[in-house]
Amino acid sequence: MLAKRLLILAAMLLPLACSSEASSSSGGAPTQTSGDGAGGGAGAGGDTRDDALIVPEDLTIMAVPGGNGVLNLIALTLRKGPTNTELYAALRNDGDTPACSAAVSVELYDKTQQSLAAGINGLLTQHFYRLTDGSDAIAACVGPGDVTMAAVLDLPSDIVIEDVGYVVYRCPYFALDVVPIDGLAISEVKAVTGGAGTVYAGTLLNGFDVAVSTPSATVFSVNRVGRPLGVAIARGTVSIPPGGSWAFETNTVDTPGPVQAAYPAGAFVTQ
């Protein structure tokens, strides 16, 4: 009989199962990041200089006290997308323990502190770990010092970007006893611009000792200081054997940047 083991993906939506670690940044008060000091630019609706960490630059970013553990938001883009309002976030693990199967939830408030909308999505990772509890289970975790990204693409289309004053975020994740292992990796990512727009091409490598099915590659376009600008995704139906690879090409991204950040995912089945 086949015993199926599903790779624990950071991109999955999760229940709010939080780490017990408290935020270390402000002694229980909300951590605030203002775009005013992030590097200059025109803000919403204008050309923004490439060193902006928060856009629009007058946004105040607040962490829920005790709701983020080791994860801190370091860059954010809030913008109008083709159909919905979109939010892109970069977070960093500033602690000394991995954050496994992590997600980020956000709530937008206007300048009078009235709630406008909320959303949640998984945080992506480039590293994989094995649980030490004897289960042999594998988890995708944001390791100490790692930068992770997420895209919330389904915020209401009628949000007026200029009316948003605050973004409040929290990061549920599992604090597990794990050890790092080889897993999926992405290499040789290149931006390819053609008549239809910019896509990303690259190679996903399978470093596991089992075959991986339904591989995917999520590539964020990023400005030069690490703020995600947009996202493109490639999904495959192939099975990648141990040590094998998959050449991918994403859909188009409407806001290409000078840098890319790529995150792999997949699932596997073993005997």
Side-chain angles (χ1 to χ4, degrees):
M1 178 181 294
L2 290 179
K4 294 185 178 182
R5 296 191 299 170
L6 177 64
L7 190 66
I8 302 175
L9 302 181
M12 294 170 60
L13 295 182
L14 302 169
L16 301 184
C18 296
S19 164
S20 60
E21 298 180 54
S23 174
S24 61
S25 57
S26 57
T31 301
Q32 298 190 20
T33 304
S34 173
D36 293 335
D47 293 330
T48 304
R49 290 207 301 267
D50 197 40
D51 56 356
L53 287 170
I54 306 295
V55 170
E57 293 189 277
D58 59 351
L59 279 180
T60 297
I61 312 300
M62 303 179 69
V64 173
N68 301 286
V70 297
L71 296 171
N72 291 310
L73 192 147
I74 58 174
L76 181 142
T77 300
L78 179 67
R79 68 176 181 119
K80 286 291 186 182
T83 57
N84 298 306
T85 301
E86 300 176 350
L87 183 147
Y88 301 91
L91 299 96
R92 185 177 58 230
N93 183 339
D94 289 328
D96 56 8
T97 58
C100 299
S101 295
V104 60
S105 65
V106 295
E107 188 161 5
L108 278 56
Y109 293 85
D110 66 17
K111 293 178 173 64
T112 66
Q113 301 185 20
Q114 298 298 307
S115 178
L116 298 172
I120 185 171
N121 209 346
L123 289 168
L124 299 167
T125 180
Q126 297 169 336
H127 297 128
F128 298 86
Y129 295 75
R130 191 181 303 279
L131 273 66
T132 61
D133 60 1
S135 67
D136 209 35
I138 292 173
C141 305
V142 183
D146 286 353
V147 172
T148 174
M149 295 184 181
V152 180
L153 304 179
D154 57 355
L155 295 170
S157 61
D158 60 354
I159 292 176
V160 178
I161 300 295
E162 291 81 2
D163 290 346
V164 182
Y166 305 87
V167 176
V168 178
Y169 74 98
R170 71 187 304 268
C171 298
Y173 64 85
F174 294 99
L176 305 174
D177 291 327
V178 293
V179 293
I181 60 171
D182 291 334
L184 303 178
I186 291 178
S187 66
E188 301 176 352
V189 178
K190 296 179 180 179
V192 180
T193 301
T198 298
V199 302
Y200 297 106
T203 302
L204 188 151
L205 308 171
N206 179 13
F208 290 118
D209 58 3
V210 294
V212 170
S213 63
T214 60
S216 68
T218 301
V219 184
F220 289 85
S221 59
V222 180
N223 76 349
R224 67 179 183 86
V225 295
R227 176 171 60 86
L229 308 173
V231 69
I233 300 173
R235 294 185 175 92
T237 58
V238 300
S239 179
I240 309 173
S245 62
W246 169 55
F248 67 83
E249 184 174 286
T250 69
N251 57 2
T252 59
V253 62
D254 59 357
T255 52
V259 185
Q260 301 89 44
Y263 297 89
F268 56 82
V269 176
T270 61
Q271 297 285 344

